[in-house]
């Protein structure tokens, strides 16, 4: 499982713990604050910034091989 998949799975679980409907327009501002706090507290910036984009890398390799 890639880091982004792990992060998304953890985020989805976090959404289930909220005690309000984050899709409701009345909670839009609160959700924006809560989401920003979640990301700031849980995003591993080293992993995020240094992860390999396999699809993009494959395109580079294919270009290299074709040349």
């Amino acid at each position: 499982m890639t880091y982004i998949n792990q992060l998304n799975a953890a985020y989805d679980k976090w959404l289930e713990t909220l005690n309000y409907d984050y899709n409701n327009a009345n909670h839009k501002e609160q959700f924006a604050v809560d989401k920003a706090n979640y990301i700031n507290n849980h995003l591993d910036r080293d992993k995020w910034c240094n992860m390999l984009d396999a699809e993009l890398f494959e395109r580079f390799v294919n270009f290299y091989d074709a040349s």
Side-chain angles (χ1 to χ4, degrees):
M1 178 179 272
T2 65
Y3 177 67
I4 189 66
N5 291 346
Q6 292 172 341
L7 184 64
N8 286 338
Y11 176 76
D12 290 343
K13 287 183 181 179
W14 172 76
L15 287 176
E16 295 173 4
T17 68
L18 295 176
N19 61 357
Y20 59 88
D21 180 5
Y22 58 89
N23 290 314
N24 186 312
N26 294 329
H27 299 121
K28 183 178 180 178
E29 290 181 28
Q30 179 63 46
F31 180 63
V33 170
D34 291 344
K35 182 178 178 181
N37 287 334
Y38 178 85
I39 291 170
N40 284 330
N41 292 327
H42 294 90
L43 178 65
D44 184 333
R45 296 186 190 298
D46 285 335
K47 284 184 180 179
W48 180 265
C49 293
N50 293 312
M51 66 182 181
L52 177 65
D53 183 337
E55 183 178 320
L56 180 60
F57 191 78
E58 183 178 342
R59 290 174 60 193
F60 289 143
V61 170
N62 289 342
F63 175 77
Y64 178 81
D65 288 345
S67 297

Short mmCIF file of all heavy atoms in Angstrom, two decimals:
data_model
loop_
_atom_site.label_atom_id
_atom_site.label_comp_id
_atom_site.label_asym_id
_atom_site.label_seq_id
_atom_site.Cartn_x
_atom_site.Cartn_y
_atom_site.Cartn_z
N MET A 1 0.85 -1.17 0.00
CA MET A 1 0.00 0.00 0.00
C MET A 1 0.90 1.24 0.00
O MET A 1 1.84 1.33 0.76
CB MET A 1 -0.91 -0.03 1.23
CG MET A 1 -1.79 1.18 1.35
SD MET A 1 -2.90 1.16 2.77
CE MET A 1 -4.29 0.31 2.08
N THR A 2 0.58 2.19 -0.85
CA THR A 2 1.38 3.41 -0.94
C THR A 2 1.05 4.36 0.21
O THR A 2 0.00 4.22 0.86
CB THR A 2 1.13 4.14 -2.27
OG1 THR A 2 -0.23 4.58 -2.30
CG2 THR A 2 1.44 3.25 -3.46
N TYR A 3 1.92 5.31 0.43
CA TYR A 3 1.69 6.28 1.51
C TYR A 3 0.38 7.04 1.30
O TYR A 3 -0.38 7.25 2.23
CB TYR A 3 2.86 7.25 1.64
CG TYR A 3 2.60 8.29 2.70
CD1 TYR A 3 2.54 7.91 4.04
CD2 TYR A 3 2.38 9.62 2.38
CE1 TYR A 3 2.26 8.84 5.02
CE2 TYR A 3 2.11 10.55 3.35
CZ TYR A 3 2.05 10.16 4.67
OH TYR A 3 1.76 11.07 5.65
N ILE A 4 0.11 7.45 0.06
CA ILE A 4 -1.12 8.20 -0.20
C ILE A 4 -2.36 7.36 0.11
O ILE A 4 -3.34 7.86 0.64
CB ILE A 4 -1.16 8.77 -1.64
CG1 ILE A 4 -2.33 9.74 -1.83
CG2 ILE A 4 -1.22 7.68 -2.66
CD1 ILE A 4 -2.24 10.99 -1.03
N ASN A 5 -2.29 6.06 -0.20
CA ASN A 5 -3.41 5.18 0.12
C ASN A 5 -3.59 5.05 1.63
O ASN A 5 -4.72 5.05 2.13
CB ASN A 5 -3.22 3.80 -0.51
CG ASN A 5 -3.34 3.82 -2.01
OD1 ASN A 5 -3.81 4.79 -2.60
ND2 ASN A 5 -2.87 2.78 -2.65
N GLN A 6 -2.48 4.95 2.35
CA GLN A 6 -2.54 4.88 3.81
C GLN A 6 -3.12 6.16 4.39
O GLN A 6 -3.97 6.12 5.28
CB GLN A 6 -1.15 4.64 4.40
CG GLN A 6 -0.58 3.28 4.09
CD GLN A 6 0.88 3.18 4.52
OE1 GLN A 6 1.55 4.18 4.74
NE2 GLN A 6 1.36 1.96 4.63
N LEU A 7 -2.66 7.28 3.87
CA LEU A 7 -3.15 8.58 4.35
C LEU A 7 -4.64 8.73 4.06
O LEU A 7 -5.41 9.16 4.93
CB LEU A 7 -2.37 9.71 3.69
CG LEU A 7 -2.68 11.12 4.14
CD1 LEU A 7 -2.32 11.31 5.61
CD2 LEU A 7 -1.94 12.13 3.29
N ASN A 8 -5.06 8.36 2.87
CA ASN A 8 -6.49 8.46 2.52
C ASN A 8 -7.35 7.54 3.38
O ASN A 8 -8.45 7.93 3.79
CB ASN A 8 -6.70 8.15 1.04
CG ASN A 8 -6.24 9.29 0.15
OD1 ASN A 8 -6.14 10.43 0.57
ND2 ASN A 8 -5.94 8.97 -1.09
N ALA A 9 -6.87 6.34 3.65
CA ALA A 9 -7.62 5.40 4.50
C ALA A 9 -7.76 5.95 5.91
O ALA A 9 -8.84 5.89 6.51
CB ALA A 9 -6.95 4.04 4.51
N ALA A 10 -6.68 6.49 6.44
CA ALA A 10 -6.73 7.07 7.79
C ALA A 10 -7.65 8.29 7.81
O ALA A 10 -8.42 8.49 8.76
CB ALA A 10 -5.33 7.46 8.24
N TYR A 11 -7.63 9.09 6.76
CA TYR A 11 -8.50 10.27 6.65
C TYR A 11 -9.96 9.84 6.62
O TYR A 11 -10.80 10.43 7.30
CB TYR A 11 -8.12 11.06 5.40
CG TYR A 11 -9.01 12.25 5.14
CD1 TYR A 11 -8.89 13.41 5.89
CD2 TYR A 11 -9.98 12.21 4.14
CE1 TYR A 11 -9.70 14.50 5.66
CE2 TYR A 11 -10.80 13.29 3.89
CZ TYR A 11 -10.66 14.44 4.65
OH TYR A 11 -11.47 15.52 4.41
N ASP A 12 -10.27 8.81 5.84
CA ASP A 12 -11.65 8.31 5.78
C ASP A 12 -12.13 7.84 7.15
O ASP A 12 -13.28 8.10 7.53
CB ASP A 12 -11.77 7.18 4.76
CG ASP A 12 -11.63 7.66 3.32
OD1 ASP A 12 -11.77 8.88 3.07
OD2 ASP A 12 -11.35 6.82 2.44
N LYS A 13 -11.26 7.17 7.89
CA LYS A 13 -11.63 6.74 9.25
C LYS A 13 -11.84 7.94 10.15
O LYS A 13 -12.74 7.96 10.98
CB LYS A 13 -10.56 5.82 9.83
CG LYS A 13 -10.55 4.44 9.23
CD LYS A 13 -9.52 3.55 9.88
CE LYS A 13 -9.52 2.19 9.22
NZ LYS A 13 -8.52 1.30 9.81
N TRP A 14 -11.00 8.96 9.99
CA TRP A 14 -11.14 10.17 10.79
C TRP A 14 -12.48 10.84 10.51
O TRP A 14 -13.14 11.32 11.44
CB TRP A 14 -9.98 11.12 10.49
CG TRP A 14 -10.14 12.47 11.12
CD1 TRP A 14 -9.96 12.79 12.42
CD2 TRP A 14 -10.54 13.67 10.46
NE1 TRP A 14 -10.21 14.13 12.62
CE2 TRP A 14 -10.57 14.69 11.42
CE3 TRP A 14 -10.87 13.99 9.15
CZ2 TRP A 14 -10.92 16.00 11.11
CZ3 TRP A 14 -11.21 15.28 8.84
CH2 TRP A 14 -11.23 16.27 9.82
N LEU A 15 -12.88 10.88 9.23
CA LEU A 15 -14.17 11.49 8.88
C LEU A 15 -15.32 10.84 9.65
O LEU A 15 -16.26 11.52 10.08
CB LEU A 15 -14.43 11.37 7.37
CG LEU A 15 -13.62 12.28 6.45
CD1 LEU A 15 -13.94 11.94 5.00
CD2 LEU A 15 -13.90 13.74 6.74
N GLU A 16 -15.23 9.53 9.85
CA GLU A 16 -16.28 8.80 10.56
C GLU A 16 -16.35 9.18 12.04
O GLU A 16 -17.37 8.97 12.68
CB GLU A 16 -16.06 7.30 10.42
CG GLU A 16 -16.21 6.80 9.00
CD GLU A 16 -15.82 5.34 8.84
OE1 GLU A 16 -15.50 4.68 9.85
OE2 GLU A 16 -15.84 4.86 7.69
N THR A 17 -15.28 9.75 12.58
CA THR A 17 -15.26 10.11 14.00
C THR A 17 -15.83 11.50 14.26
O THR A 17 -16.04 11.85 15.43
CB THR A 17 -13.82 10.07 14.56
OG1 THR A 17 -13.04 11.13 13.99
CG2 THR A 17 -13.16 8.72 14.31
N LEU A 18 -16.06 12.28 13.22
CA LEU A 18 -16.58 13.63 13.42
C LEU A 18 -18.00 13.57 13.98
O LEU A 18 -18.80 12.74 13.57
CB LEU A 18 -16.58 14.41 12.10
CG LEU A 18 -15.21 14.68 11.50
CD1 LEU A 18 -15.36 15.37 10.15
CD2 LEU A 18 -14.35 15.51 12.44
N ASN A 19 -18.29 14.46 14.90
CA ASN A 19 -19.61 14.46 15.53
C ASN A 19 -20.57 15.44 14.85
O ASN A 19 -21.51 15.91 15.47
CB ASN A 19 -19.49 14.75 17.03
CG ASN A 19 -18.87 16.11 17.30
OD1 ASN A 19 -18.49 16.82 16.38
ND2 ASN A 19 -18.78 16.46 18.56
N TYR A 20 -20.31 15.75 13.59
CA TYR A 20 -21.19 16.60 12.80
C TYR A 20 -21.12 16.17 11.34
O TYR A 20 -20.20 15.46 10.95
CB TYR A 20 -20.82 18.08 12.95
CG TYR A 20 -19.40 18.42 12.53
CD1 TYR A 20 -19.11 18.75 11.21
CD2 TYR A 20 -18.36 18.43 13.45
CE1 TYR A 20 -17.82 19.06 10.83
CE2 TYR A 20 -17.07 18.74 13.07
CZ TYR A 20 -16.80 19.06 11.76
OH TYR A 20 -15.53 19.36 11.38
N ASP A 21 -22.10 16.61 10.57
CA ASP A 21 -22.15 16.28 9.14
C ASP A 21 -21.26 17.27 8.38
O ASP A 21 -21.62 18.42 8.20
CB ASP A 21 -23.58 16.36 8.63
CG ASP A 21 -23.72 16.04 7.15
OD1 ASP A 21 -22.71 15.66 6.51
OD2 ASP A 21 -24.84 16.17 6.63
N TYR A 22 -20.10 16.79 7.98
CA TYR A 22 -19.13 17.68 7.31
C TYR A 22 -19.59 18.11 5.93
O TYR A 22 -19.04 19.05 5.35
CB TYR A 22 -17.74 17.03 7.25
CG TYR A 22 -17.71 15.71 6.54
CD1 TYR A 22 -17.49 15.63 5.18
CD2 TYR A 22 -17.89 14.51 7.24
CE1 TYR A 22 -17.45 14.42 4.52
CE2 TYR A 22 -17.86 13.30 6.59
CZ TYR A 22 -17.63 13.26 5.24
OH TYR A 22 -17.60 12.04 4.59
N ASN A 23 -20.61 17.47 5.38
CA ASN A 23 -21.16 17.87 4.08
C ASN A 23 -22.19 18.99 4.20
O ASN A 23 -22.57 19.59 3.20
CB ASN A 23 -21.79 16.67 3.37
CG ASN A 23 -20.76 15.68 2.92
OD1 ASN A 23 -19.75 16.04 2.33
ND2 ASN A 23 -20.99 14.41 3.20
N ASN A 24 -22.63 19.24 5.42
CA ASN A 24 -23.64 20.27 5.67
C ASN A 24 -23.00 21.65 5.56
O ASN A 24 -21.94 21.90 6.14
CB ASN A 24 -24.24 20.06 7.07
CG ASN A 24 -25.38 20.98 7.36
OD1 ASN A 24 -25.30 22.18 7.14
ND2 ASN A 24 -26.46 20.41 7.88
N ALA A 25 -23.64 22.54 4.81
CA ALA A 25 -23.10 23.89 4.60
C ALA A 25 -22.91 24.64 5.91
O ALA A 25 -22.02 25.50 6.02
CB ALA A 25 -24.01 24.68 3.67
N ASN A 26 -23.71 24.33 6.93
CA ASN A 26 -23.59 25.00 8.22
C ASN A 26 -22.28 24.67 8.93
O ASN A 26 -21.86 25.38 9.83
CB ASN A 26 -24.76 24.63 9.14
CG ASN A 26 -26.08 25.14 8.62
OD1 ASN A 26 -26.14 26.18 7.97
ND2 ASN A 26 -27.15 24.43 8.91
N HIS A 27 -21.65 23.58 8.53
CA HIS A 27 -20.41 23.15 9.17
C HIS A 27 -19.18 23.35 8.28
O HIS A 27 -18.09 22.86 8.60
CB HIS A 27 -20.50 21.67 9.57
CG HIS A 27 -21.59 21.41 10.55
ND1 HIS A 27 -22.62 20.55 10.30
CD2 HIS A 27 -21.82 21.91 11.79
CE1 HIS A 27 -23.43 20.52 11.32
NE2 HIS A 27 -22.97 21.34 12.25
N LYS A 28 -19.36 24.07 7.19
CA LYS A 28 -18.28 24.24 6.21
C LYS A 28 -17.02 24.84 6.83
O LYS A 28 -15.91 24.32 6.63
CB LYS A 28 -18.77 25.11 5.05
CG LYS A 28 -17.77 25.30 3.95
CD LYS A 28 -18.35 26.13 2.82
CE LYS A 28 -17.31 26.30 1.72
NZ LYS A 28 -17.85 27.06 0.59
N GLU A 29 -17.17 25.92 7.58
CA GLU A 29 -16.00 26.57 8.18
C GLU A 29 -15.34 25.69 9.23
O GLU A 29 -14.11 25.59 9.28
CB GLU A 29 -16.39 27.91 8.78
CG GLU A 29 -16.73 28.95 7.73
CD GLU A 29 -17.10 30.29 8.32
OE1 GLU A 29 -16.61 30.62 9.43
OE2 GLU A 29 -17.87 31.01 7.68
N GLN A 30 -16.16 25.05 10.07
CA GLN A 30 -15.60 24.17 11.11
C GLN A 30 -14.86 23.00 10.48
O GLN A 30 -13.78 22.63 10.93
CB GLN A 30 -16.70 23.65 12.03
CG GLN A 30 -16.20 22.71 13.12
CD GLN A 30 -15.25 23.41 14.07
OE1 GLN A 30 -15.53 24.51 14.52
NE2 GLN A 30 -14.15 22.77 14.40
N PHE A 31 -15.42 22.44 9.41
CA PHE A 31 -14.77 21.32 8.75
C PHE A 31 -13.45 21.75 8.12
O PHE A 31 -12.46 21.02 8.18
CB PHE A 31 -15.68 20.70 7.69
CG PHE A 31 -15.05 19.54 6.97
CD1 PHE A 31 -14.68 18.40 7.66
CD2 PHE A 31 -14.80 19.60 5.62
CE1 PHE A 31 -14.07 17.33 7.01
CE2 PHE A 31 -14.21 18.54 4.95
CZ PHE A 31 -13.84 17.40 5.65
N ALA A 32 -13.41 22.94 7.54
CA ALA A 32 -12.16 23.43 6.93
C ALA A 32 -11.06 23.54 7.99
O ALA A 32 -9.92 23.14 7.75
CB ALA A 32 -12.39 24.78 6.27
N VAL A 33 -11.41 24.03 9.16
CA VAL A 33 -10.44 24.14 10.26
C VAL A 33 -10.01 22.76 10.74
O VAL A 33 -8.82 22.48 10.91
CB VAL A 33 -11.03 24.97 11.43
CG1 VAL A 33 -10.14 24.89 12.66
CG2 VAL A 33 -11.23 26.42 11.00
N ASP A 34 -10.99 21.88 10.95
CA ASP A 34 -10.69 20.53 11.43
C ASP A 34 -9.85 19.75 10.43
O ASP A 34 -8.91 19.04 10.80
CB ASP A 34 -11.98 19.76 11.73
CG ASP A 34 -12.72 20.30 12.94
OD1 ASP A 34 -12.12 21.07 13.73
OD2 ASP A 34 -13.91 19.97 13.10
N LYS A 35 -10.16 19.89 9.15
CA LYS A 35 -9.42 19.18 8.11
C LYS A 35 -7.98 19.70 8.04
O LYS A 35 -7.04 18.90 7.95
CB LYS A 35 -10.11 19.36 6.76
CG LYS A 35 -9.44 18.63 5.62
CD LYS A 35 -10.22 18.83 4.32
CE LYS A 35 -9.53 18.15 3.17
NZ LYS A 35 -10.27 18.36 1.90
N ALA A 36 -7.80 21.01 8.11
CA ALA A 36 -6.46 21.58 8.09
C ALA A 36 -5.65 21.08 9.29
O ALA A 36 -4.47 20.73 9.15
CB ALA A 36 -6.53 23.11 8.09
N ASN A 37 -6.28 21.04 10.45
CA ASN A 37 -5.60 20.54 11.65
C ASN A 37 -5.23 19.07 11.49
O ASN A 37 -4.14 18.65 11.88
CB ASN A 37 -6.45 20.73 12.89
CG ASN A 37 -6.52 22.17 13.33
OD1 ASN A 37 -5.62 22.96 13.06
ND2 ASN A 37 -7.59 22.53 14.01
N TYR A 38 -6.14 18.28 10.92
CA TYR A 38 -5.87 16.86 10.70
C TYR A 38 -4.66 16.69 9.80
O TYR A 38 -3.74 15.92 10.10
CB TYR A 38 -7.09 16.15 10.11
CG TYR A 38 -6.79 14.70 9.83
CD1 TYR A 38 -6.92 13.75 10.84
CD2 TYR A 38 -6.32 14.28 8.59
CE1 TYR A 38 -6.60 12.42 10.62
CE2 TYR A 38 -6.00 12.95 8.37
CZ TYR A 38 -6.15 12.03 9.38
OH TYR A 38 -5.81 10.71 9.15
N ILE A 39 -4.65 17.41 8.69
CA ILE A 39 -3.55 17.28 7.74
C ILE A 39 -2.24 17.74 8.37
O ILE A 39 -1.21 17.06 8.24
CB ILE A 39 -3.86 18.07 6.45
CG1 ILE A 39 -5.00 17.38 5.70
CG2 ILE A 39 -2.63 18.20 5.57
CD1 ILE A 39 -5.57 18.17 4.55
N ASN A 40 -2.26 18.86 9.08
CA ASN A 40 -1.04 19.35 9.73
C ASN A 40 -0.51 18.36 10.75
O ASN A 40 0.70 18.23 10.92
CB ASN A 40 -1.29 20.71 10.39
CG ASN A 40 -1.34 21.83 9.39
OD1 ASN A 40 -0.71 21.79 8.35
ND2 ASN A 40 -2.11 22.85 9.71
N ASN A 41 -1.40 17.65 11.42
CA ASN A 41 -0.99 16.72 12.47
C ASN A 41 -0.63 15.33 11.95
O ASN A 41 0.08 14.58 12.63
CB ASN A 41 -2.07 16.59 13.54
CG ASN A 41 -2.24 17.86 14.33
OD1 ASN A 41 -1.28 18.59 14.56
ND2 ASN A 41 -3.46 18.15 14.73
N HIS A 42 -1.12 14.95 10.77
CA HIS A 42 -0.96 13.57 10.32
C HIS A 42 -0.15 13.38 9.04
O HIS A 42 0.32 12.27 8.77
CB HIS A 42 -2.33 12.90 10.15
CG HIS A 42 -3.05 12.73 11.44
ND1 HIS A 42 -3.89 13.68 11.95
CD2 HIS A 42 -3.02 11.73 12.33
CE1 HIS A 42 -4.36 13.27 13.11
NE2 HIS A 42 -3.85 12.09 13.36
N LEU A 43 0.00 14.42 8.26
CA LEU A 43 0.75 14.30 7.01
C LEU A 43 2.24 14.23 7.30
O LEU A 43 2.80 15.12 7.94
CB LEU A 43 0.46 15.48 6.09
CG LEU A 43 1.22 15.50 4.77
CD1 LEU A 43 0.80 14.33 3.89
CD2 LEU A 43 0.98 16.81 4.04
N ASP A 44 2.88 13.15 6.88
CA ASP A 44 4.32 13.01 6.99
C ASP A 44 4.92 13.68 5.76
O ASP A 44 4.96 13.09 4.68
CB ASP A 44 4.71 11.54 7.07
CG ASP A 44 6.19 11.32 7.28
OD1 ASP A 44 7.00 12.19 6.88
OD2 ASP A 44 6.56 10.27 7.84
N ARG A 45 5.38 14.90 5.92
CA ARG A 45 5.84 15.68 4.77
C ARG A 45 7.07 15.07 4.11
O ARG A 45 7.25 15.21 2.89
CB ARG A 45 6.09 17.12 5.20
CG ARG A 45 4.78 17.78 5.64
CD ARG A 45 4.90 19.23 5.94
NE ARG A 45 3.73 19.80 6.57
CZ ARG A 45 2.52 19.89 6.09
NH1 ARG A 45 2.26 19.38 4.92
NH2 ARG A 45 1.54 20.45 6.76
N ASP A 46 7.91 14.39 4.86
CA ASP A 46 9.07 13.71 4.25
C ASP A 46 8.61 12.61 3.31
O ASP A 46 9.11 12.49 2.19
CB ASP A 46 10.00 13.13 5.32
CG ASP A 46 10.82 14.19 6.01
OD1 ASP A 46 11.05 15.26 5.39
OD2 ASP A 46 11.24 13.96 7.15
N LYS A 47 7.67 11.80 3.76
CA LYS A 47 7.16 10.73 2.89
C LYS A 47 6.43 11.32 1.69
O LYS A 47 6.56 10.84 0.57
CB LYS A 47 6.21 9.81 3.67
CG LYS A 47 6.89 8.86 4.58
CD LYS A 47 5.88 7.94 5.22
CE LYS A 47 6.53 6.96 6.17
NZ LYS A 47 5.54 6.08 6.80
N TRP A 48 5.62 12.34 1.94
CA TRP A 48 4.81 12.95 0.88
C TRP A 48 5.70 13.55 -0.21
O TRP A 48 5.47 13.36 -1.39
CB TRP A 48 3.92 14.04 1.48
CG TRP A 48 3.06 14.73 0.48
CD1 TRP A 48 3.32 15.89 -0.16
CD2 TRP A 48 1.80 14.28 -0.03
NE1 TRP A 48 2.32 16.21 -1.02
CE2 TRP A 48 1.36 15.24 -0.96
CE3 TRP A 48 1.00 13.18 0.22
CZ2 TRP A 48 0.16 15.12 -1.63
CZ3 TRP A 48 -0.20 13.07 -0.46
CH2 TRP A 48 -0.60 14.02 -1.37
N CYS A 49 6.73 14.28 0.19
CA CYS A 49 7.58 14.98 -0.76
C CYS A 49 8.58 14.07 -1.46
O CYS A 49 9.07 14.40 -2.53
CB CYS A 49 8.33 16.10 -0.06
SG CYS A 49 7.23 17.42 0.50
N ASN A 50 8.90 12.95 -0.84
CA ASN A 50 9.92 12.08 -1.40
C ASN A 50 9.37 10.79 -1.99
O ASN A 50 10.14 9.92 -2.37
CB ASN A 50 10.96 11.74 -0.31
CG ASN A 50 11.73 12.96 0.09
OD1 ASN A 50 12.20 13.70 -0.74
ND2 ASN A 50 11.82 13.19 1.39
N MET A 51 8.05 10.67 -2.09
CA MET A 51 7.51 9.43 -2.64
C MET A 51 7.64 9.45 -4.16
O MET A 51 7.55 10.49 -4.80
CB MET A 51 6.07 9.20 -2.21
CG MET A 51 5.06 10.16 -2.71
SD MET A 51 3.44 9.73 -2.03
CE MET A 51 2.46 10.97 -2.80
N LEU A 52 7.87 8.30 -4.71
CA LEU A 52 8.05 8.14 -6.14
C LEU A 52 6.69 8.03 -6.82
O LEU A 52 5.84 7.24 -6.42
CB LEU A 52 8.87 6.86 -6.42
CG LEU A 52 9.10 6.49 -7.86
CD1 LEU A 52 9.96 7.54 -8.55
CD2 LEU A 52 9.76 5.13 -7.94
N ASP A 53 6.50 8.83 -7.84
CA ASP A 53 5.29 8.73 -8.66
C ASP A 53 5.59 7.67 -9.73
O ASP A 53 6.21 7.96 -10.76
CB ASP A 53 4.97 10.08 -9.28
CG ASP A 53 3.69 10.08 -10.09
OD1 ASP A 53 3.25 9.00 -10.55
OD2 ASP A 53 3.12 11.16 -10.27
N ALA A 54 5.18 6.44 -9.46
CA ALA A 54 5.54 5.31 -10.32
C ALA A 54 5.03 5.50 -11.75
O ALA A 54 5.73 5.15 -12.71
CB ALA A 54 5.00 4.01 -9.73
N GLU A 55 3.84 6.04 -11.89
CA GLU A 55 3.28 6.23 -13.24
C GLU A 55 4.11 7.25 -14.03
O GLU A 55 4.45 7.01 -15.19
CB GLU A 55 1.84 6.72 -13.13
CG GLU A 55 1.14 6.87 -14.46
CD GLU A 55 -0.31 7.30 -14.31
OE1 GLU A 55 -0.99 6.80 -13.39
OE2 GLU A 55 -0.72 8.15 -15.10
N LEU A 56 4.47 8.34 -13.40
CA LEU A 56 5.29 9.35 -14.07
C LEU A 56 6.68 8.79 -14.37
O LEU A 56 7.22 8.99 -15.46
CB LEU A 56 5.40 10.60 -13.21
CG LEU A 56 6.22 11.74 -13.78
CD1 LEU A 56 5.64 12.22 -15.11
CD2 LEU A 56 6.30 12.88 -12.78
N PHE A 57 7.25 8.08 -13.41
CA PHE A 57 8.58 7.50 -13.61
C PHE A 57 8.55 6.51 -14.78
O PHE A 57 9.49 6.46 -15.59
CB PHE A 57 9.04 6.80 -12.33
CG PHE A 57 10.47 6.40 -12.35
CD1 PHE A 57 11.47 7.35 -12.15
CD2 PHE A 57 10.85 5.09 -12.59
CE1 PHE A 57 12.80 6.99 -12.17
CE2 PHE A 57 12.17 4.72 -12.63
CZ PHE A 57 13.16 5.67 -12.42
N GLU A 58 7.50 5.73 -14.89
CA GLU A 58 7.38 4.77 -16.01
C GLU A 58 7.35 5.52 -17.34
O GLU A 58 7.94 5.06 -18.32
CB GLU A 58 6.12 3.94 -15.84
CG GLU A 58 5.97 2.88 -16.91
CD GLU A 58 4.74 2.00 -16.71
OE1 GLU A 58 4.19 1.98 -15.60
OE2 GLU A 58 4.33 1.35 -17.68
N ARG A 59 6.71 6.66 -17.38
CA ARG A 59 6.69 7.45 -18.61
C ARG A 59 8.09 7.92 -18.97
O ARG A 59 8.47 7.93 -20.15
CB ARG A 59 5.73 8.63 -18.46
CG ARG A 59 4.27 8.18 -18.40
CD ARG A 59 3.32 9.30 -18.11
NE ARG A 59 3.38 10.34 -19.12
CZ ARG A 59 2.83 11.54 -18.98
NH1 ARG A 59 2.20 11.85 -17.86
NH2 ARG A 59 2.93 12.43 -19.92
N PHE A 60 8.88 8.32 -17.97
CA PHE A 60 10.27 8.72 -18.22
C PHE A 60 11.06 7.55 -18.78
O PHE A 60 11.82 7.70 -19.75
CB PHE A 60 10.95 9.20 -16.94
CG PHE A 60 10.48 10.53 -16.44
CD1 PHE A 60 10.38 10.75 -15.08
CD2 PHE A 60 10.16 11.56 -17.29
CE1 PHE A 60 9.95 11.98 -14.59
CE2 PHE A 60 9.73 12.79 -16.83
CZ PHE A 60 9.64 12.99 -15.47
N VAL A 61 10.90 6.38 -18.18
CA VAL A 61 11.63 5.21 -18.62
C VAL A 61 11.23 4.84 -20.05
O VAL A 61 12.09 4.54 -20.89
CB VAL A 61 11.40 4.01 -17.65
CG1 VAL A 61 11.95 2.72 -18.23
CG2 VAL A 61 12.01 4.32 -16.29
N ASN A 62 9.94 4.88 -20.34
CA ASN A 62 9.48 4.57 -21.70
C ASN A 62 10.04 5.56 -22.70
O ASN A 62 10.44 5.17 -23.80
CB ASN A 62 7.96 4.56 -21.75
CG ASN A 62 7.36 3.38 -21.04
OD1 ASN A 62 8.03 2.38 -20.77
ND2 ASN A 62 6.10 3.49 -20.67
N PHE A 63 10.08 6.84 -22.34
CA PHE A 63 10.67 7.84 -23.23
C PHE A 63 12.14 7.56 -23.46
O PHE A 63 12.63 7.60 -24.58
CB PHE A 63 10.47 9.24 -22.63
CG PHE A 63 11.14 10.32 -23.41
CD1 PHE A 63 10.59 10.80 -24.59
CD2 PHE A 63 12.35 10.87 -22.99
CE1 PHE A 63 11.21 11.79 -25.32
CE2 PHE A 63 12.99 11.85 -23.71
CZ PHE A 63 12.41 12.32 -24.89
N TYR A 64 12.85 7.25 -22.37
CA TYR A 64 14.27 6.95 -22.46
C TYR A 64 14.50 5.73 -23.35
O TYR A 64 15.37 5.73 -24.23
CB TYR A 64 14.84 6.73 -21.06
CG TYR A 64 16.31 6.35 -21.05
CD1 TYR A 64 17.28 7.33 -21.18
CD2 TYR A 64 16.70 5.03 -20.94
CE1 TYR A 64 18.63 7.00 -21.18
CE2 TYR A 64 18.04 4.68 -20.93
CZ TYR A 64 18.99 5.65 -21.05
OH TYR A 64 20.32 5.33 -21.07
N ASP A 65 13.73 4.68 -23.13
CA ASP A 65 13.88 3.46 -23.91
C ASP A 65 13.58 3.69 -25.39
O ASP A 65 14.20 3.08 -26.25
CB ASP A 65 12.97 2.35 -23.36
CG ASP A 65 13.46 1.80 -22.03
OD1 ASP A 65 14.62 2.05 -21.65
OD2 ASP A 65 12.64 1.12 -21.36
N ALA A 66 12.62 4.55 -25.67
CA ALA A 66 12.25 4.82 -27.07
C ALA A 66 13.31 5.66 -27.78
O ALA A 66 13.39 5.63 -29.01
CB ALA A 66 10.90 5.55 -27.12
N SER A 67 14.10 6.37 -27.02
CA SER A 67 15.13 7.23 -27.63
C SER A 67 16.35 6.43 -27.81
O SER A 67 17.33 6.55 -28.25
CB SER A 67 15.42 8.43 -26.74
OG SER A 67 14.26 9.22 -26.62
#
